[in-house]
Amino acid sequence: MPTREQAKQARRDAIITAAVRLMRARGDAGFSMRALAEAAGVSIATPYNLFGSKQAIMLAVLDAGMARYEDHLDRLEADALDIFFEAVSLAVELYGEAPKFHKAVLFAAYGDGGRDHRAVFGDPRFLFWKGRVDQARDAGLLESEIEANALALALSQQFFICILEWAYGQIGLDELESRVHYSFALLLKGAATAAGAKRIAPRIRPLQQQLTRFWADAPLPLTADKSA
Amino acid sequence: MPTREQAKQARRDAIITAAVRLMRARGDAGFSMRALAEAAGVSIATPYNLFGSKQAIMLAVLDAGMARYEDHLDRLEADALDIFFEAVSLAVELYGEAPKFHKAVLFAAYGDGGRDHRAVFGDPRFLFWKGRVDQARDAGLLESEIEANALALALSQQFFICILEWAYGQIGLDELESRVHYSFALLLKGAATAAGAKRIAPRIRPLQQQLTRFWADAPLPLTADKSA
DNA sequence: ATTTGGATTATAACGCGTTATAGCTTTAGC
DNA sequence: GCTAAAGCTATAACGCGTTATAATCCAAAT
């Protein structure tokens, strides 16, 4: 039991705990490395020694929260096709429980330096989608020629960018869900067998109706305020 | 001829010109508001008076460059379906002419504050995609029930996030092109009529082969270096 | 020609992420 | 128990985007 390593780990935990606490309390505003160090009862230099950068800390916080998401995911019992949409809805639900927190973490993990954004949606999440693609293909819902990596990547990216728009405050959680569902429906239908396409097709029209309802207020979805 | 306004416009132009020059010369590195002000022969406060923020300046630079893209786009004479893919290839080509510059601009326009990223792919670009969706639908290639805004948005986003990955140095221009083409093929096929789907389908397999070739080096597309 | 007033200037300052330096505490090895 | 070193602390500093302040300039109106 190396006491040295214990103390280091304790400090590490204290920093992550303090980060979560600060984020949940005040969101992104007022969260700085200096504030974090003070809240963790530690010098400003220590977080850099233990994590390297603010972004690394945010990724650690994000991963801690993602563990919970993956627990829920494992418990999801859904059809090989429905699982795609339910996984999205589950994430939306979890985000909704602590939106300020998740927005702040996502924004900090992605927005500031930005370079490591594949880490935000890296290994575990991507592998999840890939696994579902494989299952859907085995179930005869997707074309056998479809490459799981390629489709999973497209799904991941579409999910990711919608989450970013939400984190940046440009859309609400409900629109996030509809948008991702819509993109997923199109992507999956594009890769689907005739049988799969028949099952996905009915999803499209209602999703479009929901989306146009969202956009009834804001005339054009991508138009910035200035030219509205 | 209000001399006052002329002088202001001259200053504005000097700033944009200096920004472009600096970006083309050294890329993102060494480009700061202080360096920009000095290069433009202007005080540090002036860019803020005239543009408001660094991001606004970057968006202005980006828009200046985009005008050229749109000129080329207008001259593109392609089939209602092929146009989607050729428009992407055209953008890739233009990026390739001055990659350092475009990366730096995109990164600065999007990456730093990040909040206005819809402005990066705002009005003009989005409207372009929407117009093409309308045309493809009129040509009987897309289902008549497809909502142009919704599909155009999905296309825009998919394009945008791949561009971001390129700007962040995580993929090359060739992979960028393949990825966007692949996503476009799936999305469009998902929204296509039987006739449209028949035309898009042959694109998918070659694109997948190209993508897997890219990924032969880097085992998993989304995996960060650490866990490779 | 003189006044007026809006814009630019120089400059200092703020908080940010990050890094470097020097000193101190505390653990590990003898 | 003593020494050596690892790791934290305190602190200053750097460059960044951005803002505020006061001085200054110069076109515009009288």
Side-chain angles (χ1 to χ4, degrees):
Chain A
M1 54 184 89
T3 337
R4 198 117 217 179
E5 209 59 34
Q6 276 181 1
K8 181 182 282 193
Q9 192 56 44
R11 264 182 292 262
R12 232 190 281 264
D13 293 345
I15 289 171
I16 295 293
T17 304
V20 171
R21 179 156 33 88
L22 279 179
M23 285 292 200
R24 290 200 182 265
R26 295 202 297 274
D28 197 32
F31 179 87
S32 66
M33 289 301 269
R34 287 169 177 86
L36 170 61
E38 190 179 5
V42 109
S43 162
I44 173 71
T46 302
Y48 287 98
N49 289 334
L50 297 180
F51 293 91
S53 69
K54 181 183 187 181
Q55 190 179 210
I57 294 174
M58 287 306 122
L59 289 177
V61 169
L62 196 106
D63 271 356
M66 278 293 176
R68 199 164 137 255
Y69 175 52
E70 272 147 33
D71 279 355
H72 286 242
L73 266 187
D74 290 341
R75 266 187 240 105
L76 265 190
E77 306 229 355
D79 174 76
L81 220 168
D82 297 333
I83 184 80
F84 289 96
F85 300 91
E86 294 197 14
V88 172
S89 298
L90 173 60
V92 167
E93 194 181 320
L94 292 180
Y95 286 155
E97 286 177 12
K100 208 166 51 175
F101 169 72
H102 283 103
K103 281 189 188 186
V105 174
L106 282 167
F107 186 77
Y110 181 81
D112 71 12
R115 275 149 189 115
D116 265 341
H117 76 285
R118 50 178 33 169
V120 176
F121 261 39
D123 252 20
R125 267 73 72 190
F126 171 74
L127 289 178
F128 170 78
W129 296 117
K130 188 185 171 194
R132 302 306 141 149
V133 168
D134 281 330
Q135 283 186 11
R137 193 182 41 197
D138 293 347
L141 295 165
L142 299 182
E143 291 277 4
S144 59
E145 69 163 21
I146 287 293
E147 224 278 313
N149 283 311
L151 176 52
L153 181 56
L155 293 169
S156 271
Q157 288 187 329
Q158 201 58 250
F159 195 7
F160 178 62
I161 198 170
C162 287
I163 286 180
L164 270 190
E165 295 226 359
W166 170 71
Y168 287 164
Q170 291 167 349
I171 60 176
L173 271 178
D174 38 7
E175 184 174 348
L176 162 64
E177 184 175 13
S178 295
R179 277 217 212 165
V180 180
H181 278 182
Y182 184 71
S183 302
F184 273 31
L186 288 185
L187 285 170
L188 289 170
K189 183 158 173 280
T193 59
K198 191 167 292 183
R199 284 203 42 203
I200 301 170
R203 283 184 179 270
I204 291 179
R205 193 197 290 264
L207 284 169
Q208 281 184 165
Q209 285 171 352
Q210 258 174 286
L211 288 175
T212 51
R213 217 172 301 134
F214 289 130
W215 300 337
D217 311 322
L220 261 182
L222 273 176
T223 299
D225 321 322
K226 51 180 180 181
S227 58
Chain B
M1 56 184 88
T3 335
R4 198 116 215 177
E5 209 61 32
Q6 277 180 0
K8 182 182 279 192
Q9 192 56 46
R11 255 172 251 128
R12 232 190 281 265
D13 293 344
I15 289 170
I16 295 293
T17 303
V20 171
R21 179 157 33 89
L22 279 179
M23 285 293 198
R24 288 198 183 266
R26 295 201 297 273
D28 196 32
F31 179 88
S32 67
M33 290 300 270
R34 286 169 177 87
L36 170 61
E38 190 179 2
V42 110
S43 160
I44 172 73
T46 303
Y48 287 98
N49 288 334
L50 297 181
F51 293 91
S53 69
K54 180 183 187 180
Q55 191 179 208
I57 294 173
M58 288 304 121
L59 289 177
V61 170
L62 196 106
D63 271 356
M66 279 292 176
R68 199 163 137 255
Y69 175 52
E70 273 147 34
D71 279 354
H72 286 242
L73 265 187
D74 290 342
R75 265 187 240 107
L76 265 190
E77 306 229 356
D79 174 76
L81 219 169
D82 297 334
I83 184 80
F84 288 97
F85 300 92
E86 293 196 14
V88 173
S89 297
L90 174 61
V92 168
E93 193 181 322
L94 292 180
Y95 286 155
E97 286 178 13
K100 207 166 52 174
F101 169 72
H102 283 104
K103 280 189 187 185
V105 174
L106 283 167
F107 186 76
Y110 181 83
D112 70 13
R115 273 145 190 119
D116 265 341
H117 76 286
R118 51 176 33 169
V120 177
F121 260 40
D123 252 21
R125 267 73 72 189
F126 172 74
L127 289 178
F128 170 78
W129 296 117
K130 189 186 171 193
R132 303 304 142 150
V133 168
D134 281 329
Q135 282 185 12
R137 194 182 41 198
D138 292 347
L141 295 165
L142 298 182
E143 291 275 5
S144 58
E145 70 163 20
I146 286 295
E147 224 277 313
N149 283 311
L151 177 53
L153 181 57
L155 293 169
S156 271
Q157 288 187 331
Q158 206 48 258
F159 195 6
F160 178 63
I161 197 170
C162 287
I163 286 178
L164 270 190
E165 294 226 359
W166 171 71
Y168 287 163
Q170 290 168 351
I171 61 176
L173 271 178
D174 39 7
E175 183 172 350
L176 162 64
E177 185 175 12
S178 295
R179 276 218 213 165
V180 179
H181 278 182
Y182 184 71
S183 302
F184 273 31
L186 288 186
L187 285 169
L188 289 170
K189 182 157 175 279
T193 60
K198 191 166 293 182
R199 284 202 42 204
I200 302 170
R203 284 184 178 270
I204 292 177
R205 194 197 291 262
L207 284 169
Q208 280 183 166
Q209 284 170 352
Q210 257 174 287
L211 287 175
T212 50
R213 217 171 304 134
F214 289 129
W215 300 336
D217 311 323
L220 260 182
L222 272 175
T223 298
D225 321 323
K226 51 181 179 181
S227 59

